[in-house]
Amino acid sequence: MHISILAATLPFIGQVNLSGYLLVVFIVCILAVIGFEFVNGFHDTANAVATVIYTRALKPVYAIPWSGLWNFLGVFLGGVTVAMGILKLVPLDALMTLPVSVGACLVLSVLLASIIWNLGTWYLGIPCSSSHTMIGAMIGAGLAFTWYYHGPGVNWGKAEEIGLSLVLSPIIGFGAAALLMLFLKHATKSHALFHIPTGEDDRPPILIRLLLITTCTLVSFFHGSNDGQKGVGLFMLILIAFLPARFAVNHHISNDKVLAAFNQASLVITKNTSANNAPNSEFINLADIIARAKASLAEKNETDVAKTYRYRKQVEAAVKAIRTVLKDNAIKLPANDWASLTSASDELEHVTDFAPVWVIAIISISLGLGTMIGWKRIVVTIGEKIGNEHLSYAQGATSEIVAASTIGLSTAFGLPVSTTHVLSSGIAGAMVASGGKGNLNNKTIKNIAMAWVLTLPVAIILASLLFMFFHLFI
């Protein structure tokens, strides 16, 4: 059967050569990931503005655009470490060796499962983690992939690392906010800080207002730097699945620059082998891997999938081997050689772990705009329904200080974490510290807990079923 290939020139991406239906699916996936990040904006980012709105520090008309701006900056300046961690959940290497239609199935099932569950929980006004949803969807699609194609469908080591981060974050949020609230109660005599606003015109004093605006700003920025990167990761998954030769490696890094990094590592190997600073087997293995990587570098191009795939694998192997040497306590390298190997591995990692600036910009804008629309349902839950009393200034500030710190540290370690989980747990902790567990609204807590418990299995099942459904059309 003859399949017609259509060539379309798309903004930023350039010419795309795909069969008719795959080109349509590709465009649908791009729109879907933009939609996912837009939904993430009004679903998750509502957490950041709930405290400033309900403590009357800022009116919604100012708080929402302000938060949207800082979410935008967070994505744009936050790097791609979390995004690359997300990508490593799915079998990227296997996808590159299979027809593009298989990648299309996986991408569509992940995106649609995530969007469906996010929209459902948003409609019910239940704070639910977009991170949790997306990771569950990726695991579900990976499991379905394994069912059809065998081999490793899910990177369980990465899934365990991410899962631990998601489980621990609400516990840390609750405990740290409760402790900080108790500390404030005993360390400060300021009655104004613990005031509960009683009317629209009951606004906090200027210093407290600045504190609340600052914490809102930090949560918004770090939310962008962490949650926004998940959208970047999904966007890169689409590009690699549909256009692997173009986007599986960063072709904008010149061959000369990559070769210089390989030669830098080779020089350290030669120098230290002759000096007997390590078992010869370690350096011989690394030298062999670098030689193969240099050969694949000479062959790679933007149109040949097989050669690009081989180049990507060789670079990944070289980075892994260099870092194995760096971590080996039996190898005693001089400080300057250790620094040279570290620099070479970091430079080579940029070949495979990257995202074009235009991808980051699109996700930034989507998240920022999403923040400004549809925020109210989640804000009402966060601000009014977690506790049995209206949010005080101290409760708002402590929960956001804890949320910003936790999310910022997670981003630094390259771990995705749930803004929803951390902040809502932080507010619950602050409420308990203020008035005991009786200060919590049991109905809301049960609804949030139920959403937390159901999100992962529902997302896994939904994405698995969607993959199987789409696979019928291959």
Side-chain angles (χ1 to χ4, degrees):
M1 182 177 69
H2 176 71
I3 299 175
S4 60
I5 301 295
L6 298 179
T9 302
L10 300 177
F12 306 113
I13 298 173
Q15 186 167 305
V16 177
N17 298 310
L18 293 169
S19 64
Y21 87 93
L22 279 177
L23 180 59
V24 172
V25 173
F26 176 65
I27 293 170
V28 168
C29 285
I30 295 293
L31 294 175
V33 77
I34 292 171
F36 169 82
E37 206 56 38
F38 187 82
V39 171
N40 188 10
F42 65 70
H43 191 289
D44 271 24
T45 313
N47 295 286
V49 295
T51 53
V52 287
I53 290 173
Y54 274 89
T55 55
R56 312 286 192 262
L58 278 180
K59 290 182 178 179
V61 69
Y62 302 118
I64 306 304
W66 181 252
S67 181
L69 169 66
W70 286 96
N71 267 280
F72 171 88
L73 292 172
V75 183
F76 212 77
L77 301 173
V80 294
T81 310
V82 174
M84 294 305 108
I86 292 294
L87 267 182
K88 287 167 186 172
L89 268 177
V90 294
L92 261 189
D93 291 335
L95 280 179
M96 290 179 64
T97 64
L98 292 167
V100 172
S101 53
V102 178
C105 285
L106 187 138
V107 167
L108 264 182
S109 58
V110 169
L111 288 169
L112 291 182
S114 300
I115 290 170
I116 289 167
W117 185 246
N118 272 357
L119 282 176
T121 51
W122 165 80
Y123 182 77
L124 296 171
I126 300 171
C128 175
S129 168
S130 295
S131 311
H132 218 161
T133 306
M134 189 191 69
I135 288 159
M138 293 184 101
I139 290 172
L143 289 172
F145 177 90
T146 303
W147 175 266
Y148 284 99
Y149 298 98
H150 310 292
V154 179
N155 182 340
W156 290 111
K158 195 66 184 176
E160 183 181 345
E161 181 183 300
I162 291 171
L164 192 62
S165 156
L166 289 172
V167 169
L168 289 178
S169 59
I171 298 171
I172 292 169
F174 182 91
L179 289 173
L180 183 55
M181 189 69 186
L182 289 171
F183 171 78
L184 287 176
K185 284 174 70 175
H186 290 92
T188 179
K189 303 300 180 184
S190 171
H191 294 293
L193 187 60
F194 300 95
H195 178 68
I196 297 174
T198 55
E200 191 62 37
D201 296 324
D202 187 1
R203 298 189 177 280
I206 186 63
L207 290 178
I208 294 174
R209 192 176 182 187
L210 287 173
L211 171 65
L212 290 163
I213 293 171
T214 301
T215 57
C216 166
T217 302
L218 290 171
V219 172
S220 299
F221 178 82
F222 287 123
H223 174 268
S225 71
N226 195 285
D227 269 38
Q229 280 197 53
K230 294 156 196 168
V232 173
L234 282 177
F235 208 128
M236 289 307 298
L237 175 60
I238 294 167
L239 294 175
I240 293 171
F242 284 89
L243 306 168
R246 187 102 55 87
F247 291 101
V249 297
N250 190 352
H251 292 285
H252 291 291
I253 298 179
S254 68
N255 288 8
D256 289 343
K257 198 169 184 180
V258 177
L259 190 59
F262 283 137
N263 289 337
Q264 185 174 319
S266 297
L267 192 64
V268 174
I269 294 167
T270 304
K271 175 183 172 183
N272 286 276
T273 302
S274 60
N276 291 320
N277 285 336
N280 280 341
S281 59
E282 291 277 0
F283 282 157
I284 290 170
N285 178 55
L286 180 53
D288 185 47
I289 290 171
I290 289 176
R292 290 200 298 271
K294 284 182 180 179
S296 67
L297 169 65
E299 294 179 351
K300 67 100 176 175
N301 62 63
E302 290 189 41
T303 57
D304 192 312
V305 175
K307 288 177 179 177
T308 301
Y309 170 70
R310 184 159 56 249
Y311 173 56
R312 179 187 171 93
K313 290 294 294 176
Q314 296 293 351
V315 171
E316 287 177 333
V319 171
K320 184 178 180 182
I322 291 171
R323 289 182 176 167
T324 298
V325 167
L326 290 170
K327 290 176 184 176
D328 193 334
N329 293 327
I331 299 174
K332 308 299 181 185
L333 292 173
N336 60 328
D337 289 342
W338 195 92
S340 292
L341 277 186
T342 302
S343 171
S345 68
D346 289 344
E347 190 64 51
L348 291 171
E349 189 176 48
H350 293 152
V351 172
T352 56
D353 290 11
F354 77 103
V357 171
W358 58 266
V359 169
I360 297 170
I362 288 171
I363 294 300
S364 301
I365 293 167
S366 303
L367 185 65
L369 291 176
T371 304
M372 301 180 201
I373 299 171
W375 52 272
K376 194 168 185 179
R377 287 179 184 270
I378 304 297
V379 165
V380 168
T381 300
I382 293 290
E384 292 182 3
K385 296 181 179 178
I386 289 181
N388 288 325
E389 63 181 16
H390 195 290
L391 206 64
S392 72
Y393 305 146
Q395 289 164 349
T398 53
S399 58
E400 291 215 316
I401 288 169
V402 168
S405 303
T406 306
I407 299 165
L409 285 171
S410 298
T411 302
F413 286 109
L415 293 171
V417 71
S418 167
T419 303
T420 308
H421 285 187
V422 176
L423 189 65
S424 52
S425 296
I427 289 175
M431 289 286 180
V432 169
S434 299
K437 64 179 182 180
N439 203 24
L440 294 177
N441 184 321
N442 288 331
K443 183 180 178 182
T444 302
I445 297 299
K446 284 177 183 176
N447 286 341
I448 293 173
M450 185 63 70
W452 288 358
V453 170
L454 289 177
T455 291
L456 202 59
V458 167
I460 289 172
I461 293 167
L462 191 55
S464 298
L465 293 175
L466 285 169
F467 185 94
M468 292 174 184
F469 172 74
F470 292 132
H471 201 271
L472 295 173
F473 299 95
I474 294 180

